Amino acid sequence: MALTLGVVTMAAVARELEVRHAAEIEYEAERGHYYQLQRSTNLTDWVNVEDKVYGHGGRERRLRTATPDDGATKEFFRVLVTEAPVEGLAPWTYAGVTLNLDDQPGGDAVQFLTETNGVDLGVAPDPFVYTFTRTGTNQVRVEARPPGLNVDRNDVYVFTYTAAGRGTWVRDEYRKGVIKDRDLGVFTHLVAGGGGAAGGTTSTNQPTVTLPTTVASTPKGLSYSFQSGESRERLEFSTEIGGTEYSDDVGDTEPNVFTYTFSLASTNSAKVVVTYKVGKWDEYDLSYSSASKGNFVRREYKDGVLDDTDTGVFSAIVMPVSGGTGATSGGTNGGGNTGGTGGGTTNPNPTVGPMPSGSLAGLTYTMRSSTDSVSKLIVSSATAGVEQGDSDTSPFTYTYTLTTPRTAVLKVTFKSDKWDEYQLTSSDGNNAGTFVLQRFDKSTLKDTRTGLFGGQATAP
């Protein structure tokens, strides 16, 4: 009876089995382009199917059923080829690049020797073969496996660039086609070169990354990348007391300015308190495994109350010394500082010499508030100028008083009962630093904010 029941069960399963015809679509996916598979039933109307594919230098294969869900009796396919965007931080190749991953104490270096071969320089060198795909302007996918046939394990890396030559990574480890483990962390480029542009020229967005050689007594001039779970953010410490946060939060599209305090607890640990506004700050406890990376504990406070605590890994690099904004390349600014290369990784708030002692005529001040978008004060004379905000331009008169070589008071008056008072504190006596802003309307204090300022000669 048991044997008969087993036969019946097997027959029931077999009745669900269907073998259908399918079509395999194959095309060459050259670097420098992306490819969109499209489908039509009448050769007139075309719709996209599946995701867009960035060229990776190999052949792309897609399997399509011959019995579509919409019941169409005829199907036509084509591949739309367009130029891939050359901008962005992600390189077009890893040949000649070495990445430092921090998934274990002391780090782990991965060296890409050619377009297809590399070696993991961990405890014991481990060679691998790999495929490289630039999946976005700031993202790279690498699938690596040991050399040889009949290999049943492979690793899939996704490298997300948060700045030139550095970012965060996620690695999925597969065994016999099943995911067994996931690791994540931050990475930096250790070797300059490689990362060439699509046309074969040297990439301009892959500079040599300079790592700090000792645990710094101040983070000024350093950029810290933090990875906690799937979230990541970057803090750029541009002055002795202030900086800018860049986050990957979907709802947080604008950089946030902050003031901070930093103290060394020991030779390999530090505490950083980053304040965004009254009642909102983050406290970081940093434990360094080397001068450029380690682990952290972060406590986030909102409305003066502890809201969240998380942990993760961090890495630090020396920021490029630049007066540029990162939007364009080359050139010099009014203060004589060399403009930065594209990609947005330059110090904010370019300076133009020391803080003025008298008139501000001919200067433009960029004010980055912790709660507002960026605004500009364009000073046209010894007493007047215009403020440019997100959607309007407002004329003003002003008074400016240098109170010490590093502090000043700037009062910007829009009308008799409406004005802004800025308490300016410069970094190293330069015309850039932090501010406290008090806003008055109808002669009554309405708001207090903090932020970063930078003054430079008004562009002609």
Side-chain angles (χ1 to χ4, degrees):
M1 179 67 69
L3 180 60
T4 302
L5 181 61
V7 171
V8 171
T9 302
M10 290 297 292
V13 173
R15 283 199 297 267
E16 301 297 326
L17 179 64
E18 294 184 32
V19 179
R20 298 179 176 180
H21 294 288
E24 186 175 20
I25 301 172
E26 183 175 338
Y27 57 88
E28 192 74 22
E30 297 180 353
R31 291 195 176 101
H33 303 82
Y34 55 77
Y35 299 81
Q36 178 64 64
L37 184 63
Q38 296 185 326
R39 172 183 181 265
S40 175
T41 58
N42 57 14
L43 288 177
T44 301
D45 302 311
W46 295 89
V47 296
N48 294 339
V49 293
E50 302 183 351
D51 294 331
K52 181 171 53 181
V53 174
Y54 278 76
H56 48 73
R59 297 193 66 78
E60 192 70 22
R61 294 176 177 85
R62 290 291 184 268
L63 195 64
R64 301 290 302 180
T65 177
T67 55
D69 293 337
D70 59 5
T73 58
K74 292 184 178 181
E75 282 186 304
F76 305 92
F77 292 91
R78 71 181 184 184
V79 176
L80 188 64
V81 183
T82 56
E83 294 290 329
V86 296
E87 70 272 9
L89 300 167
W92 287 91
T93 175
Y94 268 173
V97 169
T98 298
L99 300 182
N100 184 59
L101 313 182
D102 61 354
D103 59 325
Q104 59 186 8
D108 186 13
V110 179
Q111 188 174 27
F112 298 89
L113 303 173
T114 68
E115 295 281 0
T116 57
N117 294 84
V119 59
D120 189 333
L121 302 174
V123 177
D126 189 9
F128 60 84
V129 294
Y130 74 98
T131 57
F132 173 98
T133 307
R134 190 182 196 254
T135 54
T137 54
N138 298 319
Q139 196 170 81
V140 164
R141 182 182 187 274
V142 171
E143 183 171 353
R145 62 175 178 81
L149 301 176
N150 302 320
V151 176
D152 62 0
R153 66 184 178 95
N154 65 292
D155 296 338
V156 177
Y157 294 84
V158 175
F159 297 98
T160 301
Y161 284 77
T162 58
R166 60 194 171 101
T168 60
W169 58 269
V170 177
R171 178 179 60 212
D172 291 328
E173 299 180 1
Y174 291 85
R175 299 297 179 265
K176 296 183 178 180
V178 179
I179 186 170
K180 293 297 185 180
D181 190 23
R182 166 170 282 196
D183 298 308
L184 49 84
V186 291
F187 72 88
T188 53
H189 281 227
L190 290 186
V191 177
T201 60
T202 301
S203 172
T204 59
N205 60 20
Q206 299 299 323
T208 301
V209 175
T210 304
L211 304 180
T213 56
T214 59
V215 175
S217 59
T218 173
K220 176 189 173 184
L222 298 179
S223 175
Y224 280 71
S225 293
F226 295 91
Q227 171 100 26
S228 177
E230 294 296 324
S231 65
R232 56 184 73 88
E233 64 183 21
R234 185 173 85 252
L235 301 181
E236 294 195 346
F237 298 89
S238 53
T239 74
E240 291 179 334
I241 54 177
T244 307
E245 178 214 36
Y246 300 88
S247 174
D248 69 347
D249 291 345
V250 174
D252 187 16
T253 58
E254 295 292 334
N256 297 312
V257 295
F258 60 79
T259 58
Y260 73 92
T261 60
F262 178 91
S263 59
L264 283 174
S266 67
T267 56
N268 60 355
S269 64
K271 184 179 183 65
V272 188
V273 179
V274 175
T275 301
Y276 299 98
K277 61 180 180 180
V278 176
K280 182 181 179 182
W281 72 89
D282 295 341
E283 295 180 357
Y284 291 84
D285 291 329
L286 307 180
S287 298
Y288 293 82
S289 58
S290 71
S292 63
K293 61 188 176 183
N295 301 297
F296 72 88
V297 177
R298 176 174 57 212
R299 294 175 292 277
E300 300 177 355
Y301 290 80
K302 294 181 180 179
D303 298 322
V305 178
L306 179 63
D307 180 69
D308 188 28
T309 300
D310 48 27
T311 60
V313 293
F314 73 88
S315 66
I317 71 165
V318 179
M319 287 193 296
V321 178
S322 173
T325 63
T328 58
S329 62
T332 56
N333 66 27
N337 295 325
T338 303
T341 60
T345 312
T346 52
N347 296 342
N349 303 320
T351 63
V352 55
M355 293 190 73
S357 58
S359 169
L360 304 182
L363 298 178
T364 294
Y365 279 78
T366 301
M367 319 302 281
R368 303 172 186 262
S369 171
S370 57
T371 56
D372 281 345
S373 299
V374 176
S375 63
K376 290 186 177 181
L377 303 177
I378 303 174
V379 185
S380 56
S381 71
T383 59
V386 293
E387 180 189 60
Q388 289 184 348
D390 288 336
S391 58
D392 58 0
T393 299
S394 304
F396 63 76
T397 59
Y398 76 94
T399 59
Y400 170 83
T401 305
L402 188 68
T403 52
T404 73
R406 295 185 57 175
T407 60
V409 176
L410 173 61
K411 181 178 179 181
V412 177
T413 302
F414 301 99
K415 53 185 180 180
S416 60
D417 63 348
K418 182 179 181 180
W419 68 89
D420 294 343
E421 290 185 4
Y422 292 90
Q423 303 287 332
L424 307 178
T425 301
S426 78
S427 170
D428 298 334
N430 289 326
N431 199 15
T434 61
F435 68 79
V436 177
L437 167 62
Q438 292 183 312
R439 288 193 159 171
F440 293 81
D441 193 7
K442 297 182 179 179
S443 301
T444 303
L445 178 63
K446 295 295 185 180
D447 193 14
T448 300
R449 304 177 183 183
T450 60
L452 299 177
F453 77 91
Q456 63 178 5
T458 301

